[in-house]
Amino acid sequence: MININIDKKLSNKVNVHIASIEAKVKIKESDKELLELINKKCEEIKETIKFDEVIKLKNILSSRNAYKKLGKDPSRYRLSSESLVKRVVKGNDLYIVNNIVDINNLISLHTCYSVGTYDLDKVNGSITFTVGEENERYDGIGRGSINLENLPVFEDEGGKFGSTTSDSVKAMITNDTTHILMNIIAFEEDENIERYIEYSKELLKRFADATIIDAKITAVSKL
């Protein structure tokens, strides 16, 4: 069962809504149908969004505002969702990795929220969504060392492993992954969040032969 604790260091400053799905999956290359869905979404984005409009998109803007409240510069430490949408708007192809990573990116393009998917067999004990401390760093996937100070981050009993800017190599999805946790991270209440969960479950079942173990929303609103 999914159990994510939201640290008061985070929730005292920003609203937090995490839509989570735990599932057993089969890792494989993305098939033609999934790639067509991704390409269709990318074409839709390129046709409807200009580059200077990306940071004004509602869900990206709310996440950027959360970074500012936490003392993190969203222009320097860009949200993964913002980076993904900007890449598409500029006409660059997405990196095609495997079905789970590609589904993750499609959901992020669909929702404009940062989405993190983790190998639960590499996560130890309880999970907390918190704020990075001074001098804390980890190796981001394809990004090198990431400065975690004031960044919203997930941690387990062994340390930090994921953030809304860049996830770490610690719990990354590999060809050996069978058990995942997918988190869609919003810093506001969103009436569409249940729909996002259902869409994500549908993609996982359709393209990763997923068995859904649990799905829930963990939310704390700042007083």
Side-chain angles (χ1 to χ4, degrees):
M1 297 288 289
I2 298 165
N3 184 24
I4 298 175
N5 304 304
I6 298 177
D7 196 327
K8 288 185 177 179
K9 289 189 293 184
L10 186 62
S11 61
N12 282 344
K13 294 183 178 180
V14 297
N15 297 326
V16 181
H17 297 259
I18 306 170
S20 303
I21 300 168
E22 180 183 357
K24 291 285 190 177
V25 297
K26 294 181 180 177
I27 304 292
K28 55 187 177 182
E29 290 185 3
S30 293
D31 62 24
K32 180 180 178 182
E33 192 174 358
L34 175 55
L35 294 178
E36 286 176 350
L37 279 179
I38 293 170
N39 289 335
K40 182 179 179 181
K41 188 63 185 178
C42 289
E43 288 304 315
E44 176 188 317
I45 288 171
K46 284 188 282 188
E47 290 173 4
T48 58
I49 301 172
K50 296 178 181 178
F51 187 82
D52 60 359
E53 295 173 339
V54 173
I55 62 173
K56 300 174 186 177
L57 295 171
K58 180 176 180 291
N59 294 351
I60 289 176
L61 180 60
S62 65
S63 299
R64 285 175 60 90
N65 288 338
Y67 270 40
K68 292 175 183 178
K69 291 176 183 177
L70 293 170
K72 201 69 171 178
D73 182 355
S75 296
R76 185 177 179 189
Y77 294 91
R78 194 174 294 163
L79 292 148
S80 60
S81 53
E82 180 186 334
S83 295
L84 202 61
V85 175
K86 282 185 172 179
R87 182 176 181 83
V88 171
V89 171
K90 287 192 291 187
N92 296 326
D93 293 333
L94 298 186
Y95 295 109
I96 300 302
V97 182
N98 58 49
N99 57 337
I100 295 300
V101 174
D102 299 340
I103 288 169
N104 182 101
N105 289 340
L106 176 56
I107 294 166
S108 188
L109 290 175
H110 181 75
T111 64
C112 289
Y113 288 130
S114 294
V115 182
T117 303
Y118 309 105
D119 186 331
L120 273 177
D121 291 333
K122 299 173 184 173
V123 175
N124 303 309
S126 61
I127 298 172
T128 300
F129 195 41
T130 184
V131 182
E133 301 288 347
E134 185 178 1
N135 297 323
E136 283 191 311
R137 309 185 77 91
Y138 64 42
D139 289 331
I141 301 171
R143 294 280 299 273
S145 181
I146 303 293
N147 174 13
L148 301 181
E149 183 178 4
N150 296 332
L151 197 67
V153 287
F154 291 99
E155 69 175 358
D156 65 4
E157 293 177 4
K160 309 293 193 296
F161 66 86
S163 80
T164 42
T165 285
S166 177
D167 290 322
S168 79
V169 298
K170 173 184 172 180
M172 67 183 288
I173 302 300
T174 69
N175 290 336
D176 296 323
T177 299
T178 61
H179 186 195
I180 68 164
L181 173 65
M182 174 181 285
N183 291 328
I184 304 169
I185 304 130
F187 293 98
E188 63 179 355
E189 187 173 355
D190 189 329
E191 63 183 9
N192 295 311
I193 203 160
E194 291 279 6
R195 184 167 59 82
Y196 296 153
I197 287 177
E198 292 306 311
Y199 178 64
S200 303
K201 287 163 61 176
E202 175 190 333
L203 291 176
L204 289 169
K205 290 176 182 178
R206 187 174 171 187
F207 297 114
D209 301 320
T211 299
I212 306 300
I213 297 171
D214 194 14
K216 67 184 292 187
I217 297 168
T218 305
V220 175
S221 294
K222 183 173 66 73
L223 296 177

